[in-house]
Amino acid sequence: MIEQLRIFSCMTMPLRRAGCGAAAMTLAAALAVAPAAVVHAADGKPEAKSDSKPDAKAGADKKDESELLPLPADKTISQSIRSGGKTITYEATVGLIPVRNAKGKKIAEVVYTSYTIPGGAVSRPVTFAFNGGPGASSVYLNMGAIGPKRVPFGTAGDAPSDSAVTQDNPNTWLDMSDLVFIDPVGTGFSRSLEDEDTTKKDFYSTDADIKYLSRVVYDWLVKHGRLRAPKYVVGESYGGYRAPRIAYALQTEMGVGVSGLVMVSPYLDPAAVGDGDALSPLPWMINLPSMTAGNLERQGKLSAAAMNDVESYVRSQFVTDFLAGRSDPNAVGRIVQKVSAYTGLDPALVAKLDGRVDTNTYLREAHRAEKKIGSIYDSNVTAWDPFPSSSDRQSGDPILEALIAPTTSAMVDFVTREVGWKTDTHYEALSSNVNKLWDRGSPDDKPVAELRKAIANDAKMRVLIAHGYNDLSCPFFTSRLILDQMPAFGQERRVKLAVYPGGHMFYSRGASAAAFKADARTLFGAS
């Protein structure tokens, strides 16, 4: 079960060391892939089979397109919601964009869900949203954060059996922008038409992923006549790894300018957060503030001001003592004392770990007295520990395992019953197969490097990076350290970091969702 948790840690990210830091998984940076996938306008029909005869081995692995039922044609309905005291009438569309290779053969079908205001002005923005995984569909941003309808998930007490009935989302961004939620190949209803090995080469690696998804954005704009609109890209978790790279690819390869980027709990710098280097204090520096936030919240003391102390500590004395090691007999003792106080954990336990508290230990020990386990996505959202006497954790994640059922059911009901886009294909909210097949390569800083280049290219681009304090899958302090090393690009706060109460899906809390929307409104206005 713990491995199932790790597959989707960062909801949304590739297998990596847990907590984007100490002790659990590795991330994927990409290998170059051959040849880049190309996308053209949708026709909604599968390609005809080739007349050429594959060899016997290839034939055994080959996906026969004739065996796949055609996906439906694009379908649009009119809906309305109440938001901000006003009624918003909009068009909801479920449609697809085909992906073609360099020879024009259709190799995949990408399904999207869009919400648009009919008759909007040329100046009305359009926002493209991606979740991560790899292997996550866009349902979480769609029906949890910024779409017009939402289903509650991600907070204490949520359960798999909760109702899948959606509610009007008071914090939708639809009053600011049209919204397009894209499900990468292998997620949602999006699918490859190739065999497994070719699918992995064309879609399941970081560079290939950026190339075809950038083209999908371009083709949607062409298909719907929106190239003149201001464009925004939003990515959550591993989608936050995608977002700056997609923006840069749109700028430099697709010929599409991007007015703004929003990264939600992003997995932004794989190279910085792994614990493979025993000399690096970074993973422990990055995790400790989020552990501290969880402890402060349990005491009712969490605030930005209260967090200043631990943030200052991990930048200064912690690093000095960590690197001193045995050269200073008192260094480990000082770390143990401070880490115990910040996390609220038993000093004797922290001493056994030399002050280096890994994520899984923290999530279990912080709630052991209650015989519960905290979520890596929000350490104060808990579930009962089914094996409290076991020395090792043997259960899944409280948030992850509670949200699959209601989000999947709500999305499928919306697509098939409300919109009437009928398909017998299973909806993949979180695909373990995509995650398993993902080519992880070697960790690098491509998202940060390409974020810098995209901002430098466009003096009008604005960026918002949003985190929850309690998130241990993609801790906020990673982004804090990254931004402190970046240039100002000629103007203060062109890149803003906002941290809200909550965890990875901080938007599940009403007050944090409202604050997030207010910050996004400022971004849209400034851009």
Side-chain angles (χ1 to χ4, degrees):
M1 289 300 293
I2 193 64
E3 284 306 316
Q4 293 173 359
L5 160 62
R6 290 175 179 176
I7 284 176
F8 292 106
S9 188
C10 244
M11 180 133 229
T12 49
M13 338 180 357
L15 280 174
R16 59 175 205 10
R17 293 174 178 85
C20 286
M25 313 180 200
T26 85
L27 163 230
L31 299 175
V33 293
V38 182
V39 189
H40 294 295
D43 58 23
K45 299 177 182 178
E47 287 285 314
K49 283 186 64 179
S50 170
D51 290 333
S52 60
K53 295 182 179 180
D55 61 57
K57 182 178 184 301
D61 295 334
K62 212 71 165 165
K63 183 178 294 184
D64 186 348
E65 292 181 27
S66 66
E67 296 176 1
L68 294 174
L69 293 175
L71 292 177
D74 297 4
K75 185 75 179 291
T76 300
I77 62 169
S78 178
Q79 292 190 313
S80 64
I81 59 164
R82 293 284 294 174
S83 179
K86 299 178 180 179
T87 297
I88 301 176
T89 300
Y90 61 93
E91 292 182 343
T93 299
V94 178
L96 61 86
I97 300 285
V99 182
R100 300 184 186 275
N101 64 17
K103 295 182 179 180
K105 178 181 175 61
K106 184 163 67 174
I107 58 175
E109 296 169 313
V110 171
V111 179
Y112 65 87
T113 305
S114 67
Y115 307 99
T116 58
I117 304 296
V122 171
S123 59
R124 179 168 170 78
V126 57
T127 298
F128 296 90
F130 302 87
N131 273 93
S137 76
S138 61
V139 66
Y140 310 101
L141 285 174
N142 185 350
M143 292 198 164
I146 65 175
K149 303 281 187 177
R150 69 180 302 270
V151 59
F153 66 83
T155 56
D158 289 344
S161 58
D162 285 346
S163 171
V165 176
T166 58
Q167 309 163 357
D168 287 355
N169 182 4
N171 297 304
T172 181
W173 291 9
L174 190 56
D175 58 340
M176 303 186 292
S177 171
D178 289 343
L179 305 171
V180 183
F181 297 90
I182 295 174
D183 293 336
V185 169
T187 75
F189 292 119
S190 298
R191 64 190 188 182
S192 169
L193 303 177
E194 301 181 300
D195 62 76
E196 186 174 280
D197 289 342
T198 311
T199 294
K200 180 174 179 178
K201 180 189 71 173
D202 286 345
F203 301 107
Y204 297 162
S205 68
T206 39
D207 284 354
D209 180 71
I210 299 306
K211 289 178 181 179
Y212 89 87
L213 289 177
S214 300
R215 183 61 192 266
V216 166
V217 171
Y218 171 86
D219 278 15
W220 189 96
L221 290 165
V222 172
K223 178 179 178 179
H224 295 277
R226 300 298 300 278
L227 281 167
R228 295 188 294 170
K231 299 101 182 162
Y232 292 79
V233 177
V234 177
E236 179 180 358
S237 200
Y238 186 74
Y241 176 96
R242 284 176 167 136
R245 300 198 62 198
I246 287 175
Y248 185 62
L250 287 171
Q251 280 182 347
T252 60
E253 297 177 25
M254 293 292 103
V256 174
V258 175
S259 297
L261 281 176
V262 180
M263 287 169 275
V264 181
S265 306
Y267 185 44
L268 197 51
D269 190 353
V273 299
D275 62 349
D277 181 356
L279 295 177
S280 176
L282 271 174
W284 314 99
M285 292 171 61
I286 286 166
N287 283 349
L288 185 57
S290 289
M291 293 179 181
T292 303
N295 184 37
L296 288 171
E297 186 174 70
R298 289 190 291 277
Q299 301 176 60
K301 298 178 180 179
L302 178 62
S303 68
M307 291 295 293
N308 286 339
D309 186 61
V310 67
E311 291 189 33
S312 297
Y313 168 68
V314 294
R315 291 178 187 267
S316 54
Q317 185 183 2
F318 177 84
V319 178
T320 303
D321 285 342
F322 183 98
L323 295 177
R326 292 183 180 177
S327 69
D328 181 351
N330 297 316
V332 172
R334 286 193 296 266
I335 289 178
V336 168
Q337 180 183 16
K338 297 289 283 188
V339 169
S340 300
Y342 284 131
T343 62
L345 298 185
D346 182 354
L349 171 67
V350 177
K352 290 178 182 178
L353 302 173
D354 289 336
R356 304 180 187 193
V357 179
D358 63 275
T359 298
N360 286 327
T361 296
Y362 174 79
L363 292 174
R364 199 171 193 210
E365 296 300 327
H367 303 282
R368 183 177 283 278
E370 308 165 78
K371 296 191 175 181
K372 292 184 176 181
I373 293 175
S375 169
I376 195 171
Y377 302 113
D378 184 334
S379 60
N380 286 334
V381 174
T382 62
W384 294 106
D385 186 345
F387 302 99
S389 60
S390 172
S391 58
D392 297 320
R393 175 173 176 166
Q394 297 185 40
S395 64
D397 186 83
I399 288 180
L400 186 65
E401 295 200 342
L403 60 76
I404 300 298
T407 54
T408 300
S409 295
M411 190 66 193
V412 173
D413 181 70
F414 168 74
V415 170
T416 60
R417 185 185 62 82
E418 291 190 48
V419 178
W421 196 83
K422 302 289 188 181
T423 178
D424 292 330
T425 305
H426 181 258
Y427 184 85
E428 297 290 342
L430 284 174
S431 171
S432 58
N433 188 56
V434 171
N435 196 276
K436 177 185 70 175
L437 293 175
W438 200 264
D439 184 351
R440 307 186 187 288
S442 301
D444 60 29
D445 67 349
K446 282 185 179 178
V448 176
E450 294 185 6
L451 174 63
R452 286 186 176 213
K453 290 188 282 188
I455 298 170
N457 284 345
D458 191 336
K460 297 179 180 179
M461 177 185 281
R462 298 293 183 272
V463 177
L464 171 63
I465 302 177
H467 282 272
Y469 278 115
N470 295 352
D471 184 11
L472 279 165
S473 63
C474 296
F476 76 91
F477 204 64
T478 306
S479 295
R480 178 90 77 200
L481 293 174
I482 288 169
L483 294 192
D484 286 346
Q485 301 301 317
M486 289 177 63
F489 296 105
Q491 184 179 342
E492 288 298 320
R493 296 176 75 80
R494 278 190 67 190
V495 183
K496 177 184 177 180
L497 173 64
V499 188
Y500 313 102
H504 194 72
M505 291 147 298
F506 57 82
Y507 48 74
S508 63
R509 302 192 188 190
S512 294
F516 180 40
K517 179 175 180 177
D519 285 333
R521 188 180 296 281
T522 300
L523 177 82
F524 277 79
S527 300

